[in-house]
Amino acid sequence: MSIAAIIPLYNGAPFIREALESVFRQTIPVDEIIVVNDGSTDDGPDIVRAMAADRPIRLLEQPNRGQSAARNLAAANTSCRYLALLDQDDI
């Protein structure tokens, strides 16, 4: 069973670190974490990049197209069978 956690990010700097940390605390680990920067203008993508330096997090980028488009981009870029759709402020 392969699981990808998918998190759209739009100006979510105050929340994204805690959301990603909560993914790592789950009892069933995911195989892949994909964060899609949906045109953020804050430092949220920088936080994700810093965390990705030593953790299995992939950051995809797109101009602001909305949450659904961000999720679709992530889904198209994973080979995992199951998708866990999270929001940037979920913990």
Side-chain angles (χ1 to χ4, degrees):
M1 173 169 63
S2 58
I3 304 168
I6 294 174
I7 306 173
L9 176 65
Y10 179 73
N11 293 340
F15 313 107
I16 192 61
R17 181 179 306 280
E18 191 173 6
L20 287 167
E21 292 291 348
S22 75
V23 174
F24 290 110
R25 288 192 305 264
Q26 298 302 307
T27 56
I28 298 175
V30 297
D31 299 287
E32 184 174 31
I33 299 171
I34 302 174
V35 177
V36 179
N37 175 22
D38 190 37
S40 294
T41 58
D42 67 2
D43 64 345
D46 293 331
I47 293 168
V48 174
R49 282 186 202 94
M51 292 181 74
D54 62 353
R55 297 206 174 162
I57 302 169
R58 216 165 71 169
L59 178 65
L60 303 178
E61 308 264 352
Q62 72 176 20
N64 183 253
R65 295 179 47 218
Q67 190 174 42
S68 295
R71 287 180 173 156
N72 288 339
L73 177 64
N77 281 277
T78 186
S79 60
C80 290
R81 182 172 180 179
Y82 297 100
L83 307 179
L85 305 178
L86 307 173
D87 292 327
Q88 65 191 10
D89 61 350
D90 286 346
I91 54 172

